Structure formats: C-alpha cells, structure tokens
Amino acid sequence: MDNGHKTGNGVSTAICGTAPVPAEEIEAICAQFGNDKHRMLDILREVQDRYRCIAPATMDHVAAATGLTRIEVEGVASFYSFLSLAPKGKVTIRLCDDIVDRFSGVSEVACVFEEELGLKIGETSNDGAFSLEYTPCIGMCDQAPAAMVNDIVLTKLTPETARSAAQALKAGRSAEQLISERFEALTPSERALHMVDNNIRHAGEVLLGPVPEDAGLAKAATITPTQIISAIEESGLRGCGGAGFTTGRKWRFAASERAEKHFVICNADEGEPGTFKDRVLLTERPHLLIEGMTIAARAVGAREGILYLRGEYVYLRELLLQVLEERRRRGLLGKDILGVKGFDFDIRLQLGAGAYICGEEGALISSCEGLPGEPKTRPPFPVNRGYLGYPTVVNNVETFCHAARILDKGAAWFNAMGTEGSHGTKLFSVCGDCLNPGIYELPYGHTVRELLAMVGGEDAAAVQVGGPSGTMIARDSFHRKLTFDDLATGGAVIVFNGERNVLEIVEYYMSFFVHESCGYCTPCRVGNVFLQKAIQKFRKGLANPEDIDYLKDLSGTIIETSRCGFGMTSPNPVLTTLKNFPLVYSAVIKPSKDGIRDTFDIQSAIDGARKIAKRRSYIFDKDFTQ
C-alpha cells in the first residue's frame, strides 16, 4: 500500500514526515488521555499537532489503545476539517473564506501568499514546510480578511501585510513572532489581545459593563438549587444561541431527572458566519462564564462540566486553562466550592476541530463523546439523556454569563430590560459594510434601522440577521425589531450595501451549508447541493419561471424531512431572499420556451455531497436504493 502523500505539484512525501511515527509515542498520547475512547478528539488533535497528519498505522495504534476498531477511529479522523489523513505543512495557513472576507479582499491576499510560497490554494510544499488553504468563517468578520497560521490568528490582512508575513515565515520566523518578538513572555490574555481586537463598541449594563467578581456564585452558594432555577425562570432569560428556549425551564427539566450523574456543557462553538460575540466574552469575561457554569451545576446537581471551544478559537485555549486552574486554586472549582460541603464541580476544556455542525447541541455532545459530530435523534433530549446517556444542560457562553449576573442582581433587574418575551440585553456581532463593526450590547427591542445608525451602516441595502441560517431583509423591513418574536438572532448582523450581489451572497451561503453538512441524512446532504446548483442557474441567467417554484418546493422538503436544525434552517438564504428580494430573482429569469425546466444530474450531486461530507459511499448506498 502506498502511504505517501501527493502534494499539489505531484511530489510524494512519506506519511507524517520522513519516518514512521513510533508506536510507543502514539501509545503515550493515548495514555495521556487515559486510553479513553470518549477523548478520541483530544487524542487525534494531539497526534495532528505533533506529526501533522493521522497516518493509517497511527489509527491502528489508537484503535488498539482505546478498544475501538480502525474504522471507528478513521470515522472521527475523517470528519473534522482540522484533522488530516495526509500530511499538512509544518506551517498551515488557513485563509478565512467567509463572504465578508471575500468582499474585504481575501482573494488578493490569497494571491500574495500563493506567489510568495510558490503554492496554490489547497497545496502543500514539496519540503512539507507550508500548506495553504481556505477555511470557512473563523469568527473574525469584524476585522476581515483574517487567517489562522497554525494556532496564531492574523487579522485585517492586506496584500502588503500578507507579503511581509509570508516572507518572514519563509525566513524561518515562527507564527508567534508575527505577533510579537516577545510572544513567549506575554501572558495568555496579552497574547489574545495582541492577536485580536475585541472591538467593543457599546458596553451594556449586564455583560460588558462593570461586573463584580463571583457575586452571583456567592449568592447561589447560600440558596437551594430550586431557588436558583426559580430565579432564572423569573428573569425571563432565554438561550442566546438563537433558538431562545427558556433557560430556567431547561435547567428544571435536567434537575428533575433521576440519574447517577448530571453534566453541564458550555457550547463555545459559535460557527455561524458573522458571529463573534462569544469570542469577546471568552476573552473579556472568562471568569463570568465559568461562574455561570458553576451556578448551573449547583442548580442541576452536576459535578462535571465541559467547555467546548471551537477549533478556530484555539488561540484562547491557554487563557481558558489558566482561568480554570486559577479558580481551582481559589476554591471556586473542585471540591466543596466556597466551603459548601458537597458543592463539587470541575470543568474540562474540549477543543473542537473545525466542524460547523458541532454548534448543534446533539452534534456537540457526540463530539465530546469522541464521536464524529453527528446530531442525535430526538427524543430523548439532552436534558433527559445527553452526554454519555446522562441528563445534560447545554447552554452557550452568553447564556451562562447572563445567568451569573441574574443571581447577583436579581431576576427583576434583568426582567425589566428589553421587551415582553425578550428580556435583558443581547450582544450583537456587527460586520460587513459599516463604519464601526464590532460588539454592541443592547437591550432587546431596537430596530434594525436604529442599530444601523449606531454602526454607521445607513447605506445598507440588505442586512443578514442571524447569520446564513437566519433572515436577509431589505430596506423596507429595517423597521423590524431585534427580538425573539420578530427578528431572532444568535448575535450575527451582517450589513451589505447596494453594490453587493444578493445572489452571490446566497450562493456562498449555500456552498457553506453543502460543505458543512454532516452528511447523515439525504435531504440535507443532497438537497442543499441542488439548491446551490439552482442558484447558480439564476446567477448565469439560465433560470426560468418554474425554477422559482422548484426552489420553494425543494426548500420545504429539506426543512420537513431533515433530522436536525441544520437542515431545517439551511434553505433560509434562498427562502428569505425569495420573499424579501423577489425582483433580484425575476430580473434574471428567462422566459420558459416549452414549460419544461432543466433537470439536474442527481448522481453527480450525490457524489459531490459524499466527497464533501468525507464519508464512505457504502454508508449511503442503502439510503439511495430505498
């Protein structure tokens, strides 16, 4: 068997370097994580970081150490985009290819890197020194174009700064030295702030204004778990990831489940293009986040927690580990927290590896369990049977931070802000065609027009609220309010001026959904490919009137038959623009000559979806023969 790797210019290199990786080194990595199959993602990330790929022999050793089959290990290794079965360069440069980055000039930046490194996008150099590739949104849309160079983030790139970076890397400087010559001497917090500007444009009363240290946790330690849950319920706090489920109700459901263990998981996998609010909280308010998780643990009876950090935020790993260790030293994590007998809780950090679908709570739990990040069938819901089959509360960063502040200041204080049904404040991640992109903490209830005035986006022609899975609105809807009952959003607000092509944006978002589908179910895996191809027809001026109905019918089928929220929202770029920008579609339609719509090559689309989802065809054969 040829275990070599073909680089972009056809040169073969030995798998994972010039020599096989000794079995004892792989065994040592597995032992570092207790040979625990549920820590598979940690094991494979460590292998990837050390050896730049996960070789076939490596998977055999990992399988043997963890009691799994080789195919089970490969299923994880092939699922996540930051893991690779072929060698990556010692320096891997991932350029963010989000639509905001595209409009900000990432293609020019890419050309400079290609020229300086002698590579094309998607290639690895002959000597294994460099890999150059595109990656979906890395959470830096307020400072695009951006890139990851190994674990280092570069923002606000220009052709000039890209050339300087490429030349420095070729000359042997490390990625860290691109940030600071004294990078190693900086604290984890200083390193993060040197790399990324948090762009806090408006600090509100709840999260980004003055926050007393652990006041909420101190209060929680003096009252019963039931009283904690009641306070959260009375506050009106709803989940801040977009769905808006009542937080106190979720906690009560989990607490009422009789089980040997309960778990609390923080979803810090904000992969929705255009969203970066949790990135700011993780940097500015990490203690508040852990405080909120600890309060939730007391409320539901959990002793163990997981902070799931998206792989693109690896630059924050050391900061968060430092915060966790500090809180252990201060008696704020661990055994008998704040001296309260039996109040035991600790948190482990789980780093993701590049999979948008893991923002869905079932897929996130699967990932924490060491599995491919595939959504779980519901019911049962995570509050009934979640992580490892135990009752599990999953909330995002912003929700936990709010919970800590509610315990400190009281339910009535929080409930009085915002509007009926949308209480408190919300962090809005604003980017795109505006003068002041960044984070705005505002009470719920502001109109889109009011927000645009704050951010310097008055010439907007379209606004994407809630990221690609949300709603794109036109000027005639700018009076609508940013609330759960009108325009709900996990935080993303993307501004587009009149020079932008709406269909180009829609096609990009559909390509994003095609790329990020876990591939489990046919409607999502194949249907989104068809939607993307249909939008391409409109862009080429080849669509006819019947194609409008086709878009609507296909979107409805995907929504009704998909297994999880991914497929239920992926047609939104098409549906919301059909509704709010009908003239954009009608302007490019050609009259139908015979009333017969052009058909798509289904087998070609299926094959493409298989490759994108990185799954074996035999997994799908049964689906397509029924």
Side-chain angles (χ1 to χ4, degrees):
M1 180 185 295
D2 179 11
N3 288 337
H5 167 53
K6 296 291 184 181
T7 62
N9 37 15
V11 180
S12 181
T13 357
I15 252 319
C16 294
T18 56
V21 178
E24 55 269 23
E25 293 184 19
I26 302 301
E27 292 164 0
I29 291 174
C30 294
Q32 178 184 336
F33 297 100
N35 294 323
D36 184 354
K37 65 181 181 180
H38 301 304
R39 303 296 297 275
M40 183 57 63
L41 189 53
D42 294 308
I43 291 169
L44 295 181
R45 277 208 61 121
E46 184 68 20
V47 170
Q48 180 74 45
D49 290 346
R50 285 198 202 181
Y51 307 113
R52 297 181 285 121
C53 79
I54 301 165
T58 296
M59 288 186 276
D60 291 333
H61 296 316
V62 171
T66 56
L68 296 175
T69 64
R70 154 72 180 278
I71 193 65
E72 288 174 311
V73 175
E74 186 171 355
V76 179
S78 62
F79 185 88
Y80 298 91
S81 63
F82 286 4
L83 304 179
S84 176
L85 307 187
K88 293 288 187 182
K90 292 179 181 178
V91 176
T92 296
I93 301 168
R94 295 184 171 98
L95 297 171
C96 183
D97 191 33
D98 179 74
I99 192 69
V100 175
D101 291 75
R102 290 188 182 189
F103 289 157
S104 300
V106 73
S107 59
E108 291 85 352
V109 169
C111 287
V112 170
F113 275 111
E114 288 180 326
E115 177 187 331
E116 287 291 337
L117 300 178
L119 300 173
K120 294 294 184 184
I121 293 289
E123 292 183 350
T124 296
S125 61
N126 290 348
D127 58 3
F130 294 100
S131 289
L132 182 63
E133 58 192 48
Y134 278 130
T135 194
C137 183
I138 64 172
M140 304 292 160
C141 293
D142 56 328
Q143 43 212 297
M148 296 176 65
V149 182
N150 291 348
D151 294 348
I152 297 299
V153 177
L154 302 180
T155 62
K156 300 178 183 176
L157 286 166
T158 64
E160 293 72 30
T161 59
R163 193 174 305 281
S164 296
Q167 291 174 348
L169 292 168
K170 284 197 303 181
R173 295 181 69 193
S174 67
E176 290 77 6
Q177 288 175 310
L178 299 179
I179 302 300
S180 172
E181 291 292 347
R182 50 186 296 273
F183 187 87
E184 295 301 323
L186 300 176
T187 67
S189 178
E190 289 170 337
R191 292 175 184 177
L193 293 174
H194 270 65
M195 282 185 259
V196 179
D197 186 345
N198 281 326
N199 280 335
I200 298 174
R201 303 290 187 175
H202 186 277
E205 185 178 350
V206 181
L207 300 180
L208 296 177
V211 175
E213 189 174 295
D214 293 303
L217 180 58
K219 176 67 179 295
T222 66
I223 60 178
T224 67
T226 299
Q227 288 173 316
I228 294 172
I229 293 173
S230 294
I232 299 299
E233 285 180 327
E234 292 165 10
S235 73
L237 175 64
R238 296 170 67 170
C240 301
F245 191 82
T246 304
T247 304
R249 194 175 173 203
K250 177 184 283 190
W251 292 13
R252 192 174 293 281
F253 285 153
S256 66
E257 287 285 330
R258 296 195 174 200
E260 180 185 351
K261 295 180 180 180
H262 290 70
F263 289 91
V264 169
I265 297 179
C266 175
N267 182 348
D269 191 65
E270 59 168 359
E272 194 75 34
T275 307
F276 47 89
K277 63 182 178 66
D278 288 350
R279 177 201 89 202
V280 174
L281 288 174
L282 290 164
T283 311
E284 299 283 343
R285 295 288 183 266
H287 283 278
L288 187 66
L289 163 62
I290 307 305
E291 179 186 358
M293 290 182 68
T294 309
I295 291 169
R298 179 161 173 78
V300 305
R303 291 173 177 261
E304 299 175 60
I306 301 172
L307 171 51
Y308 190 98
L309 181 68
R310 71 180 303 214
E312 290 82 353
Y313 289 171
V314 62
Y315 80 102
L316 293 173
R317 175 173 51 186
E318 294 307 315
L319 168 61
L320 295 171
L321 290 174
Q322 183 186 64
V323 168
L324 292 173
E325 187 54 39
E326 179 186 338
R327 294 183 73 82
R328 293 185 189 107
R329 289 197 308 267
R330 293 167 53 197
L332 301 172
L333 279 179
K335 192 170 178 58
D336 298 335
I337 292 171
L338 290 176
V340 178
K341 190 76 172 174
F343 184 8
D344 304 340
F345 180 66
D346 210 337
I347 296 170
R348 76 171 174 88
L349 182 67
Q350 174 67 66
L351 192 63
Y356 167 81
I357 189 64
C358 288
E360 192 275 337
E361 65 178 5
L364 181 144
I365 290 171
S366 294
S367 188
C368 289
E369 293 172 335
L371 301 169
E374 294 174 346
K376 295 180 180 290
T377 302
R378 300 201 234 184
F381 294 92
V383 290
N384 307 119
R385 288 197 295 280
Y387 179 65
L388 303 181
Y390 294 104
T392 303
V393 164
V394 182
N395 284 122
N396 76 351
V397 174
E398 187 179 0
T399 308
F400 281 123
C401 288
H402 276 307
R405 296 291 283 133
I406 290 166
L407 263 291
D408 169 28
K409 299 287 285 184
W413 167 78
F414 188 86
N415 189 272
M417 302 178 208
T419 65
E420 185 63 33
S422 300
H423 300 280
T425 62
K426 177 66 188 165
L427 296 190
F428 296 101
S429 315
V430 185
C431 63
D433 298 318
C434 59
L435 296 177
N436 301 301
I439 292 293
Y440 294 77
E441 183 186 2
L442 303 168
Y444 283 103
H446 282 277
T447 66
V448 172
R449 183 172 288 109
E450 288 169 342
L451 182 60
L452 289 172
M454 293 182 206
V455 307
E458 291 91 342
D459 64 343
V463 177
Q464 183 75 37
V465 180
S469 60
T471 302
M472 183 182 285
I473 61 171
R475 289 190 180 103
D476 60 0
S477 295
F478 287 178
H479 64 281
R480 294 181 63 183
K481 293 184 177 181
L482 295 161
T483 65
F484 284 108
D485 297 324
D486 192 352
L487 283 174
T489 172
V493 177
I494 310 170
V495 182
F496 298 109
N497 64 32
E499 297 178 5
R500 307 306 184 191
N501 183 332
V502 168
L503 291 179
E504 179 183 357
I505 298 167
V506 173
E507 184 184 347
Y508 167 76
Y509 285 152
M510 292 316 304
S511 71
F512 172 82
F513 285 130
V514 168
H515 182 271
E516 293 298 327
S517 170
C518 76
Y520 184 91
C521 56
T522 304
C524 182
R525 181 177 67 246
V526 179
N528 286 315
V529 173
F530 285 178
L531 283 180
Q532 182 189 11
K533 287 183 176 294
I535 294 298
Q536 289 172 347
K537 282 185 64 178
F538 278 89
R539 288 198 68 193
K540 294 175 182 177
L542 301 177
N544 54 47
E546 290 81 8
D547 285 306
I548 294 287
D549 292 331
Y550 175 79
L551 287 173
K552 293 177 180 178
D553 292 344
L554 178 56
S555 294
T557 299
I558 295 170
I559 291 169
E560 291 172 12
T561 57
S562 288
R563 185 184 186 211
C564 76
F566 183 103
M568 296 173 192
T569 58
S570 61
N572 282 355
V574 173
L575 291 177
T576 64
T577 53
L578 279 172
K579 177 182 178 181
N580 298 322
F581 298 85
L583 295 180
V584 169
Y585 288 86
S586 61
V588 296
I589 288 176
K590 66 176 183 178
S592 179
K593 295 179 180 178
D594 51 11
I596 300 175
R597 179 180 53 80
D598 292 341
T599 58
F600 296 121
D601 181 349
I602 185 169
Q603 190 58 48
S604 174
I606 290 171
D607 289 343
R610 287 173 176 166
K611 293 175 183 177
I612 289 167
K614 303 178 184 176
R615 299 169 67 85
R616 295 288 187 263
S617 60
Y618 61 75
I619 296 176
F620 300 139
D621 286 341
K622 185 176 179 181
D623 289 84
F624 292 111
T625 55
Q626 290 180 338

